[in-house]
Amino acid sequence: MVAYDESGVVPIKRTLQNIDYQNQACKELEEPSTKRVRPLGRVTSLANLISPVKNGAVRRFGQTLQASFRGDGRSPSVPHHKACSKAAAPTPPKRRNSTLWSETLDVHQKGTFSTKEIKRQEAIFELSRGEQDLIEDLQLARKAYHDPMLKLSIMSEEELTAIFGDLDAYIPLHEDLLAQLAKATGPDGTVGEIGQIVVDWLPRLNAYRAYCSNQLAAKALLDQKKQDPRVQDFLQRCLESPFSRKLDLWSFLDIPRSRLVKYPLLLREILRHTPTEHPDTTSLEQAVSIIQGVLADINMKKGESECQYYIDKLEYLDDRQKDPRIEQCKSLLCHGELRNKSGTKLHVFLFTDVLVLTRPVTRNDRHCFQVYRQPIPVQDLVVDDLQDGDVRMGGSFRGAFSNADKAKNIFRVRFQDPAHGQSHTLQVNDIFHKQQWLNCLRTAMSVVQSEASAATTTTTTTTDVCSKRRSSTASSVVHMDEIDENQPQNAASAPSSPQTASRHLTRPEARVRFVSHLMTNH
């Protein structure tokens, strides 16, 4: 907001700026400086990403990029002289075209469509416009980030491949949908039927399974490479350039994933504005079902990849910490950074069958998680919700000589049998995250308990049926048992308890059902 003087004509802020400029000019005349000051300005083109070197090839490469992104038709060899020595104002970021479909029509043409049809065409136009934006972003990621970093040797080809994946392979996929939509567009700018087009095209999105599954490893590698000053400087200059729209590199790399989750919303919006008697109604309902299946499959693969990524990052101090359940897990329910009672930062992982507490460490520039204490199987896990103030955090020595506030947002995890391991009092940042952890832990425990209970019931029923069958068809065997009941029996022939039988016979099946259910809702 700008304030005005009493006359209401000249802004006070502008007047103060003029006074500051006059004072600055007088100061420069009174105290001449012999220092050579180089004006610093924001980067307004990708050419400034190139460090000043004597190599003519690199200089020409930078000039070519400058001309291509500026698009002003000026020859790179012609120097551009600024009108004044003052640093130029930063160029505003490039904006997306937000034109609506109805804005492309004239007044008379717009009156020929019903309100419902206009909304339907707006939804279809949004789908088409989004495909065009995605294609431009994928091309930009290659042209503005991948290729310059490769040619300037900022990253190796292997590192860039691990980070960018096969982005080029997905461009024709979306170009094909865009071409089909353009072909289905009539002379009046409307799309008659779109349902069968998307039904045939959506299954091809399964190509993103590998890309989405690699995102966690790609993000970790990119964060590691940002420690290199050359990489950080390059990415920062790109961020300050207009073409980036104030988005960092990872935002561009994550655009395909965010686009995938929008397809169900876009298709439902088109279906909502499609009349019931329209030929697209059935095919659009089928398209929504198809995209939900595709996303569920991608989520499952992504969840398995994320789970295996963290399992590979675990580091054990003792072989007794290696629980075979960890290697068998296919899904990671939740994980995050917590603090224990002594204030130590722990990274806690809740897999489908085991809770693992770790400490983040670095080994030869490699980030890993050192397993802390003994992992707790979910079937042996007990969770206690502690009230604020029940425990003092920071250790007994600190608590004895300080007046620190009592701990908040805490809970305790422990073994059912204390002899198997010690308990852990954990603290989270706020009540919301505490409730999330408690819900996730209790859900995992309830599923395991319900599976074990169902297995026990099944085993007991089977045992009762077998006993009745033996009593009705083998009375002589029963008689032999009665005769020998006082004799010592062989331990190997003694029947196991229903609990033991269910644990050994049905537990693998229970694990498969549990993992499958959670991965579907990952």
Side-chain angles (χ1 to χ4, degrees):
M1 184 179 70
V2 179
Y4 287 83
D5 60 4
E6 295 179 357
S7 62
V9 178
V10 182
I12 296 177
K13 183 176 180 180
R14 187 181 304 170
T15 304
L16 293 176
Q17 290 178 348
N18 293 336
I19 295 174
D20 291 339
Y21 292 153
Q22 294 174 3
N23 293 339
Q24 182 67 21
C26 295
K27 185 176 180 180
E28 292 178 354
L29 292 175
E30 294 174 359
E31 300 179 3
S33 175
T34 58
K35 295 182 180 180
R36 300 179 61 186
V37 180
R38 181 181 179 182
L40 297 178
R42 288 183 177 269
V43 177
T44 57
S45 70
L46 193 61
N48 292 332
L49 302 178
I50 314 299
S51 302
V53 293
K54 297 182 179 180
N55 191 320
V58 176
R59 187 184 302 110
R60 288 192 299 273
F61 171 73
Q63 292 170 346
T64 303
L65 282 176
Q66 180 184 20
S68 62
F69 278 99
R70 185 173 57 236
D72 53 6
R74 199 163 41 239
S75 173
S77 60
V78 178
H80 176 62
H81 300 284
K82 293 183 179 180
C84 59
S85 59
K86 184 181 178 181
T91 304
K94 181 181 178 181
R95 296 185 179 274
R96 288 290 196 195
N97 182 12
S98 57
T99 304
L100 300 176
W101 176 81
S102 57
E103 296 175 353
T104 63
L105 306 176
D106 55 36
V107 179
H108 301 287
Q109 190 178 12
K110 187 182 300 185
T112 60
F113 300 106
S114 64
T115 302
K116 192 175 186 65
E117 180 62 21
I118 291 178
K119 291 182 178 180
R120 181 175 184 270
Q121 295 300 325
E122 292 284 11
I124 296 176
F125 185 77
E126 183 179 356
L127 173 65
S128 176
R129 184 67 235 181
E131 292 299 300
Q132 181 62 46
D133 292 342
L134 177 59
I135 293 171
E136 293 176 359
D137 287 334
L138 295 180
Q139 293 172 341
L140 179 63
R142 169 66 66 173
K143 184 176 181 180
Y145 291 93
H146 179 280
D147 293 348
M149 285 193 288
L150 179 61
K151 292 183 179 180
L152 297 176
S153 300
I154 295 178
M155 287 192 197
S156 66
E157 185 174 359
E158 292 76 13
E159 292 171 337
L160 291 172
T161 301
I163 294 174
F164 285 81
D166 298 328
L167 282 181
D168 288 347
Y170 307 122
I171 294 178
L173 172 65
H174 297 280
E175 287 178 338
D176 180 59
L177 176 60
L178 200 61
Q180 293 187 57
L181 293 177
K183 186 177 180 180
T185 303
D188 58 352
T190 62
V191 177
E193 296 183 14
I194 189 179
Q196 194 58 42
I197 294 176
V198 292
V199 165
D200 296 336
W201 180 81
L202 286 174
R204 298 172 60 185
L205 290 176
N206 281 303
Y208 276 105
R209 283 185 298 183
Y211 181 82
C212 293
S213 298
N214 186 57
Q215 276 195 305
L216 185 61
K219 182 67 165 60
L221 178 58
L222 179 60
D223 291 340
Q224 179 183 349
K225 295 301 297 183
K226 285 182 180 179
Q227 305 303 318
D228 185 343
R230 295 185 65 204
V231 175
Q232 180 62 31
D233 180 68
F234 179 89
L235 296 179
Q236 181 62 32
R237 291 175 185 270
C238 286
L239 182 62
E240 295 174 354
S241 299
F243 69 84
S244 70
R245 308 195 308 277
K246 301 300 180 182
L247 300 176
D248 59 8
L249 173 57
W250 183 251
S251 297
F252 284 101
L253 296 178
D254 194 48
I255 283 177
R257 182 203 58 81
S258 62
R259 179 64 180 173
L260 288 174
V261 299
K262 289 181 181 178
Y263 284 118
L265 303 177
L266 294 171
L267 293 175
R268 288 194 186 99
E269 186 67 13
I270 298 173
L271 179 61
R272 188 164 70 93
H273 299 296
T274 299
T276 307
E277 65 278 4
H278 196 281
D280 268 351
T281 301
T282 304
S283 54
L284 284 174
E285 293 174 348
Q286 182 183 357
V288 172
S289 177
I290 291 174
I291 188 59
Q292 288 176 339
V294 171
L295 293 182
D297 187 50
I298 293 177
N299 274 335
M300 183 183 67
K301 298 298 182 183
K302 190 174 185 295
E304 291 178 354
S305 176
E306 180 183 8
C307 180
Q308 191 59 46
Y309 173 83
Y310 284 114
I311 289 177
D312 295 339
K313 292 283 186 180
L314 296 179
E315 182 182 87
Y316 300 92
L317 296 177
D318 192 335
D319 289 341
R320 290 175 295 181
Q321 294 177 325
K322 295 183 178 180
D323 193 315
R325 300 178 185 87
I326 298 177
E327 296 296 333
Q328 296 171 0
C329 287
K330 297 295 183 181
S331 179
L332 178 62
L333 306 186
C334 62
H335 67 97
E337 186 177 276
L338 307 176
R339 289 181 180 271
N340 64 3
K341 187 176 180 180
S342 61
T344 303
K345 289 183 179 180
L346 300 177
H347 200 100
V348 182
F349 297 93
L350 177 60
F351 297 97
T352 49
D353 289 322
V354 62
L355 179 70
V356 183
L357 286 73
T358 69
R359 289 186 292 192
V361 295
T362 302
R363 299 279 188 260
N364 299 324
D365 296 331
R366 177 180 175 269
H367 297 285
C368 55
F369 300 92
Q370 188 180 85
V371 177
Y372 179 77
R373 308 299 184 187
Q374 189 68 24
I376 306 178
V378 173
Q379 63 184 14
D380 299 329
L381 177 63
V382 177
V383 178
D384 300 322
D385 183 5
L386 303 181
Q387 300 301 316
D388 294 346
D390 286 355
V391 178
R392 286 186 179 273
M393 306 295 283
S396 58
F397 181 84
R398 178 180 176 182
F401 296 96
S402 67
N403 295 323
D405 294 335
K406 294 183 178 180
K408 298 180 180 180
N409 307 318
I410 53 177
F411 62 92
R412 180 181 292 120
V413 293
R414 57 185 175 87
F415 284 89
Q416 291 181 0
D417 185 356
H420 292 166
Q422 70 182 66
S423 64
H424 304 277
T425 301
L426 304 174
Q427 183 181 35
V428 297
N429 294 331
D430 50 51
I431 186 63
F432 173 74
H433 289 92
K434 174 186 175 180
Q435 198 59 45
Q436 279 192 322
W437 271 102
L438 291 177
N439 291 341
C440 200
L441 289 166
R442 289 166 178 168
T443 300
M445 294 165 56
S446 64
V447 172
V448 171
Q449 292 171 0
S450 62
E451 293 289 348
S453 176
T456 302
T457 303
T458 302
T459 305
T460 304
T461 303
T462 303
T463 303
D464 294 341
V465 171
C466 293
S467 298
K468 293 179 180 179
R469 186 174 301 169
R470 285 197 302 269
S471 62
S472 61
T473 59
S475 58
S476 59
V477 175
V478 174
H479 179 69
M480 292 289 294
D481 291 340
E482 292 174 354
I483 294 174
D484 298 333
E485 65 178 345
N486 295 324
Q487 296 181 3
Q489 298 180 359
N490 188 357
S493 63
S496 60
S497 65
Q499 291 83 359
T500 305
S502 66
R503 184 180 302 114
H504 291 288
L505 295 178
T506 65
R507 181 58 189 149
E509 290 78 4
R511 177 181 296 112
V512 171
R513 287 195 295 272
F514 184 32
V515 171
S516 176
H517 171 73
L518 288 170
M519 286 192 297
T520 302
N521 296 278
H522 188 271

